[in-house]
Amino acid sequence: MAAADQPGKAPARSKRADALRNQQALLTAAAEVFVASGVDAPVREIAARAGVGMGTIYRHFPTRADLVVAVYRHQVEACAEAGPRLLAEAPSPFEALRGWVDLFVDFLVTKHGLAEALRSDGGFEALHAYFLERLVPVCAELLGAAAGAGEIRPGTGAYELMRGIGNLCAGRGDDPDYDPRRLVGLLLRGLRRSPEA
Amino acid sequence: MAAADQPGKAPARSKRADALRNQQALLTAAAEVFVASGVDAPVREIAARAGVGMGTIYRHFPTRADLVVAVYRHQVEACAEAGPRLLAEAPSPFEALRGWVDLFVDFLVTKHGLAEALRSDGGFEALHAYFLERLVPVCAELLGAAAGAGEIRPGTGAYELMRGIGNLCAGRGDDPDYDPRRLVGLLLRGLRRSPEA
DNA sequence: AACGATACGGAGCACTGTTCCGTTTTGTCA
DNA sequence: TGACAAAACGGAACAGTGCTCCGTATCGTT
């Protein structure tokens, strides 16, 4: 359902040279276009910038979500791996959770339009699925640790929290009167068992 | 910039009879289509259901936001008017705020797609503007009262809070693992000065 | 009844996503 | 090296949007 054959970075797998070259070109072009115009940029624009035809882009990345996933795979991976590390390093599970959430929020607000793509209503099911598959377990671990330490109230699931955070980060990021980080902070605070120091 | 001449409900103002009739038909049709297909339904569908042409719909409601505003005017108004009433009736300003937020959330989750339209990134600036113009002052009053009573921490603006709530309510509503109300509750709890009873 | 103002309708344009298939490139094998 | 089949390419073509434009019909008034 997702990316057919791990269209990751370097050696995709035993295919023709031109195919590999084009796949790489598409990844590069998509990354550029995404920062310039957001993840909703016209398919044609990406194809044109990569110097390939429409057929090629759809052959390599059947859905837009596949392309987005491929482009941001590294960062999602980094975010996933940061979870256990923070848990080990931070002074408390809740602090680890807070740190991880900061990372996640940074990631989302940095990529124009990513947060809205993350919600499930669009045609980005694959993206939604991948993000959640990879990150929900990490978040769940952090949440569980914090709950185990008695730092937060139970009852909120990792999926719910992540989607809430994603939602809070959606919309134009250049609004001086709307700071997603502040609201996410409030959300986390609402999760705490006792008030802040 | 918004609705040219208050395309409200009954007597719009000194215009031709057929124009009034069509405006009414459009409002009715739009309301029906909105519940069936969300506020993003194709313009043609609304026009067809109202039995009018494309030109007519655009003449009466230059932007989609104008139409949405006209359709939901009553409910927005009711929500706005509930603010002062709750403030007078509720046992405390914070409870009033909580009650009002519940109303707002109910409104948003009930109208498929309204919450996403509320964010500023789409072409719904007029909708965004109207909602905010009408409801932000109300929210600000509630927020101010609660802050004055020492029930919440200062520093969060009404606009920010409302947009956050709107964001939390966006996305498909039929997901059993995502309850906007719960998260909004968490947000409110994060706003409180001391923890819940 | 006639006539000017007002409003109507829908064809048409621009711009999307997506598919389809004739053509080109690549790698291999004689 | 020179076929040749498989793999991949490219972009025209189709379908579904939003929105505009202007010839035509309707309304209200004189």
Side-chain angles (χ1 to χ4, degrees):
Chain A
M1 59 174 76
D5 51 286
Q6 303 277 97
K9 36 182 176 180
R13 205 178 66 255
S14 67
K15 280 304 151 196
R16 262 170 56 166
D18 53 349
L20 252 39
R21 205 182 327 132
N22 278 332
Q23 179 158 305
Q24 200 53 39
L26 276 172
L27 247 14
T28 304
E32 292 169 1
V33 172
F34 284 171
V35 309
S37 319
V39 296
D40 287 321
V43 185
R44 279 170 175 77
E45 193 177 330
I46 299 169
R49 166 157 254 174
V52 307
M54 297 297 301
T56 301
I57 195 169
Y58 277 100
R59 194 168 317 106
H60 284 295
F61 305 98
T63 76
R64 180 191 297 273
D66 294 323
L67 186 50
V68 176
V69 167
V71 167
Y72 292 127
R73 191 156 234 146
H74 289 88
Q75 291 174 73
V76 171
E77 219 56 35
C79 195
E81 284 163 11
R85 182 162 43 76
L86 283 166
L87 204 47
E89 294 176 358
S92 84
F94 184 78
E95 287 307 320
L97 177 62
R98 191 208 296 281
W100 187 79
V101 166
D102 277 351
L103 243 41
F104 185 52
V105 170
D106 273 340
F107 176 50
L108 289 181
V109 303
T110 295
K111 317 305 171 202
H112 187 175
L114 225 202
E116 23 268 289
L118 212 48
R119 77 173 75 274
S120 38
D121 59 339
F124 291 71
E125 296 77 18
L127 177 62
H128 192 250
Y130 168 69
F131 263 72
L132 266 34
E133 217 167 90
R134 193 66 186 89
L135 297 181
V136 162
V138 176
C139 182
E141 194 184 337
L142 288 160
L143 223 39
E151 292 184 298
I152 64 172
R153 315 160 74 206
T156 301
Y159 170 74
E160 194 164 43
L161 177 60
M162 285 193 56
R163 195 166 145 197
I165 292 170
N167 274 355
L168 285 176
C169 293
R172 334 193 298 270
D174 62 339
D175 188 335
D177 291 330
Y178 182 76
D179 180 5
R181 278 171 248 258
R182 164 200 291 284
L183 290 174
V184 171
L186 246 32
L187 199 61
L188 246 35
R189 190 172 186 274
L191 217 48
R192 275 213 105 149
R193 185 149 247 153
S194 51
E196 301 274 335
Chain B
M1 60 171 75
D5 52 286
Q6 302 277 96
K9 36 183 176 179
R13 203 177 67 251
S14 66
K15 281 304 153 197
R16 263 171 55 168
D18 53 349
L20 253 39
R21 206 181 327 129
N22 279 330
Q23 178 157 306
Q24 201 53 39
L26 241 8
L27 246 15
T28 304
E32 292 170 359
V33 172
F34 284 172
V35 310
S37 319
V39 296
D40 286 322
V43 183
R44 282 171 172 78
E45 192 177 331
I46 299 169
R49 166 158 264 187
V52 306
M54 295 296 300
T56 300
I57 196 169
Y58 277 99
R59 194 169 316 107
H60 284 295
F61 305 98
T63 76
R64 180 190 297 273
D66 294 324
L67 186 50
V68 176
V69 167
V71 167
Y72 292 127
R73 192 155 231 146
H74 289 87
Q75 291 174 71
V76 172
E77 218 57 34
C79 195
E81 284 163 11
R85 182 162 42 74
L86 283 166
L87 203 48
E89 295 176 358
S92 83
F94 184 80
E95 287 306 322
L97 177 62
R98 191 208 297 282
W100 187 78
V101 166
D102 278 351
L103 243 41
F104 186 52
V105 169
D106 274 340
F107 176 50
L108 290 181
V109 303
T110 296
K111 317 305 171 202
H112 186 174
L114 225 201
E116 24 268 288
L118 213 46
R119 79 173 74 273
S120 38
D121 60 336
F124 290 73
E125 295 78 19
L127 177 61
H128 193 249
Y130 168 69
F131 262 73
L132 266 33
E133 216 168 275
R134 192 67 186 89
L135 297 180
V136 162
V138 176
C139 182
E141 194 183 336
L142 288 160
L143 223 38
E151 292 183 299
I152 63 172
R153 314 160 75 206
T156 301
Y159 169 74
E160 195 165 42
L161 177 61
M162 285 193 56
R163 194 164 146 199
I165 292 170
N167 275 354
L168 285 176
C169 293
R172 329 196 301 270
D174 61 340
D175 187 335
D177 291 329
Y178 182 77
D179 180 5
R181 278 172 248 261
R182 164 199 291 282
L183 290 174
V184 170
L186 246 32
L187 198 61
L188 246 35
R189 190 171 183 276
L191 217 48
R192 273 213 107 150
R193 185 148 247 152
S194 50
E196 301 273 338

